[in-house]
Amino acid sequence: MGIEEYGGGQGPEPDVLVVTTNDAPGYRVQEVLGEVFGLTVRSRHLGSQIGAGLKSMVGGELKGLTKTLVETRTQAMVRLVEQARARGANAVLAFRFDVTEAADVGTEVCAYGTAVVLARE
């Protein structure tokens, strides 16, 4: 797995800016549209679960699980951006991920933040 498969986030000039901060330098908040989120639940197939179990006995990175989590977070973030865009936002402030186990059958990943309309100062 190459380095490009381990990361996520936005490209260089997104139409909806997503930041983890409560503000964006050089911009002022014109309008707060409210909370937005993107949610996905993923499960792993039996073969990869067995492989991960064996790997955990000897130690080391669980690369298949890492790749799945990166893909899952990316999908949740894409859904968050789609919801923000649909509400008329051009930014999401205070962006976070929340990850939980979903009834022992998968992993729930929720990307959330506050949709806003920003204007350059």
Side-chain angles (χ1 to χ4, degrees):
M1 204 162 43
I3 191 67
E4 66 280 352
E5 296 178 278
Y6 287 104
Q10 297 184 291
E13 294 186 28
D15 65 323
V16 176
L17 178 66
V18 178
V19 297
T20 59
T21 55
N22 293 330
D23 55 16
Y27 294 88
R28 64 179 171 77
V29 175
Q30 273 189 316
E31 185 178 1
V32 175
L33 301 173
E35 182 183 19
V36 289
F37 66 91
L39 180 69
T40 186
V41 178
R42 293 277 182 102
S43 66
R44 303 263 302 152
H45 62 77
L46 182 60
S48 66
Q49 287 178 342
I50 291 170
L54 293 172
K55 182 71 172 186
S56 69
M57 290 171 48
V58 296
E61 181 179 10
L62 305 174
K63 290 185 179 183
L65 185 55
T66 299
K67 185 175 180 181
T68 297
L69 288 174
V70 168
E71 291 169 353
T72 302
R73 284 179 177 228
T74 299
Q75 183 178 43
M77 187 170 179
V78 165
R79 290 177 178 176
L80 166 106
V81 168
E82 288 172 353
Q83 187 183 44
R85 187 181 298 117
R87 293 179 64 184
N90 65 356
V92 175
L93 302 179
F95 169 72
R96 303 285 187 272
F97 281 113
D98 185 45
V99 181
T100 55
E101 289 299 312
D104 294 330
V105 296
T107 301
E108 172 192 351
V109 175
C110 182
Y112 64 95
T114 303
V116 298
V117 176
L118 294 180
R120 286 203 179 269
E121 291 184 327

